[in-house]
Amino acid sequence: MTFANAYRARVLVTGAGGFIGHHLTNYLVQHGYFVRGVDLKTPEYAPTRADEFWLLDLRRWENTLRATEGIDEVYNLAANMGGIGFIESHKAEIMRDSALINLHMLEAARVHGARRYLFSSSACVYPGYLQRSPEVTPLKEDDAYPADPEDGYGWEKLFIERQCRHYHEDFGLETRIVRFHNIYGELGTYDGGREKSPAAICRKVALAEDGGTIVVWGDGQQTRSYCHVADCVEGIYRLMRSEYPHPLNLGTDRLVTIDELVDIVATIAGKRIHKAHDLSKPQGVRGRNSDNASLRTVLRWEPRLTLEQGLARTYHWICGELQKAGRLPAHALAA
Ligand code: NAD
C-alpha cells in the first residue's frame, strides 16, 4: 500500500502551472494523492488535474503560509526561469524572485510541520571549470564544490540546496534535492524566448521546408544529455519516497551535440535540414553530462525513454500546437 492510499496524503506542487509541475500534478493525482497546485498562472496547454489550484505569488511570505497550510508534503518547483537566452540576460530578476520563493517556502513548510520537502535544483550548479570541453566527464553530485556555478540561476540553486541541508540538520525537515539535467517533452514552452533547446529545435524543424535551413545557436558542437519529462516525474516521486537527503542528479547519461539533436529531430520529421550556426547567441557551458551512479544506487532506477522516443512525442505535440495556432498547414503533419 502506498503512502497516498494508506491515508489520502495532501501534497502541494508549486509551479503547477509550469511544465514539470503540471506533469507532476497529473502523476500524483493518478497515484491517489490530494494535490494542491499553486502558480502565478494556470497551465498553458492542458487543464490541470489538481484537486485545487490556487493562483498565488510565492515571492510573498503570507502566500507561502497559505499555500502550505494543511499540507503533508511539498514539491517546490516554482521558479523564475527559462532557456539559456533568458537565464543569461535576467540574472538579478531570477536570483531575486527564486530566492524569495525558496526561502519563504522552506520556512512556511517548517512552520506548518510538513513531513517532506522537495527542492528542484539544476545541473547549472556544477562548476564552469568542469564543463569546458564537449567530451565532458559526466558530473557527479560531489563535483559541485569548489563552487563555480552558472552565474545567477546556478548560484541561487546552490544556495538553496545549502539551505535545504541546514533546514534538515537544524530543524529536522526531511528535505530532498533533485538536480535536473535538461528536461524536455510535451506541454513545455516551445516559443517566446523561455523555451529550451529541444523544444526550440522541434519548432524550427516543424516550420522549415524539406531541404530548408534552421538557425542553431553556437557552433552546434556543444554537448548535453536530455531527459524526457515522463521519466523526470517518476524520478522525482522515487526520490521523495526515498530516505536520501543529499542532492541527486536526475537526467540521462547519453551525451549528444546540438547538431546531433537537430539531426534526430530532422529524421523524426522526415526532412532534410541544413544548419546555419549563429555564433553570436549564448550556448551555455561547452559540455554537460549526468553521472547516474548515485541515481541508480539510491533509486534502483534510471530514465527509460530513449532520446528518439521522447523527441518523437515532443515533435508531434509541437506540430499539433503549431497547427492549432494556424502556423503549420495540416498536410505538414503527414511526415
Ligand atoms: P516552468 O517555467 O515551466 O515552471 C516554473 C513555474 O513557476 C512557472 O509556471 C511559473 O509561473 C511559476 N512561478 C514563477 N514565479 C512564481 C511565483 N512568484 N509564484 C508562483 N509561481 C511562480 O519551468 P520547469 O521547466 O517546469 O521547471 C520547474 C523547476 O525545475 C524549476 O525550479 C526549474 O528551475 C527546475 N529545473 C528545470 C529544468 C528543465 O530542464 N526544465 C532543469 C533544471 C532545473
Side-chain angles (χ1 to χ4, degrees), residues 2-312:
T2 66
F3 178 55
N5 293 337
Y7 147 75
R8 194 162 185 234
R10 295 172 65 87
V11 302
L12 167 65
V13 177
T14 75
F19 170 50
I20 302 173
H22 177 69
H23 284 275
L24 180 64
T25 297
N26 291 349
Y27 180 95
L28 292 169
V29 168
Q30 270 166 19
H31 282 71
Y33 289 85
F34 177 96
V35 181
R36 176 183 299 160
V38 170
D39 202 302
L40 287 173
K41 62 176 177 72
T42 54
E44 233 170 313
Y45 306 110
T48 184
R49 292 182 56 194
D51 296 277
E52 52 192 24
F53 193 100
W54 296 353
L55 293 174
L56 292 175
D57 184 343
L58 295 171
R59 290 173 300 183
R60 301 181 67 89
W61 164 239
E62 63 275 18
N63 287 342
T64 58
L65 271 181
R66 273 188 67 196
T68 48
E69 191 170 2
I71 287 295
D72 299 307
E73 299 188 343
V74 176
Y75 293 85
N76 186 26
L77 276 75
N80 185 352
M81 63 102 61
I84 190 69
F86 181 79
I87 68 172
E88 288 203 355
S89 55
H90 295 77
K91 292 178 183 168
E93 188 188 307
I94 285 172
M95 289 190 81
R96 178 199 62 205
D97 290 353
S98 296
L100 284 170
I101 294 169
N102 288 317
L103 290 173
H104 287 152
M105 280 298 302
L106 267 170
E107 177 61 7
R110 182 189 76 82
V111 166
H112 283 307
R115 289 195 216 134
R116 284 183 188 224
Y117 183 100
L118 180 132
F119 170 57
S120 50
S121 187
S122 165
C124 286
V125 301
Y126 287 113
Y129 58 80
L130 293 179
Q131 304 175 82
R132 293 202 178 119
S133 155
E135 295 89 29
V136 61
T137 304
L139 294 155
K140 298 188 295 298
E141 286 77 358
D142 288 348
D143 289 337
Y145 295 93
D148 175 27
E150 189 280 329
D151 181 18
Y153 177 74
W155 269 113
E156 191 274 335
K157 292 289 192 194
L158 198 61
F159 164 58
I160 298 297
E161 284 191 0
R162 206 74 182 180
Q163 186 69 331
C164 286
R165 171 173 154 181
H166 296 314
Y167 265 65
H168 182 66
E169 289 170 352
D170 294 359
F171 301 130
L173 180 62
E174 283 294 337
T175 50
R176 303 286 176 266
I177 301 166
V178 60
R179 289 183 185 155
F180 297 137
H181 286 250
N182 297 307
I183 312 304
Y184 73 97
E186 308 83 273
L187 310 182
T189 303
Y190 65 89
D191 210 349
R194 287 196 186 227
E195 69 278 17
K196 315 278 174 50
S197 50
I201 289 167
C202 285
R203 184 197 72 236
K204 290 176 188 178
V205 171
L207 293 174
E209 301 287 332
D210 185 17
T213 301
I214 68 165
V215 174
V216 176
W217 287 17
D219 67 0
Q221 294 308 302
Q222 65 273 36
T223 53
R224 295 290 184 277
S225 65
Y226 295 93
C227 177
H228 189 268
V229 67
D231 282 324
C232 174
V233 296
E234 171 93 29
I236 292 173
Y237 182 66
R238 285 172 179 261
L239 176 59
M240 187 64 130
R241 298 268 59 84
S242 81
E243 297 307 315
Y244 194 73
H246 310 292
L248 192 70
N249 284 333
L250 178 47
T252 71
D253 52 10
R254 174 175 167 195
L255 199 63
V256 292
T257 65
I258 296 293
D259 277 354
E260 283 166 345
L261 196 65
V262 175
D263 293 341
I264 295 171
V265 176
T267 302
I268 291 165
K271 293 180 183 178
R272 282 165 298 127
I273 295 290
H274 303 286
K275 307 167 193 96
H277 295 109
D278 185 347
L279 303 181
S280 72
K281 296 289 192 209
Q283 56 166 289
V285 293
R286 194 66 181 142
R288 173 178 292 158
N289 197 2
S290 174
D291 183 311
N292 280 357
S294 294
L295 179 76
R296 285 190 284 267
T297 307
V298 173
L299 304 188
R300 292 191 294 278
W301 171 91
E302 68 184 311
R304 295 191 177 112
L305 278 182
T306 66
L307 189 54
E308 285 76 6
Q309 290 168 330
L311 283 173

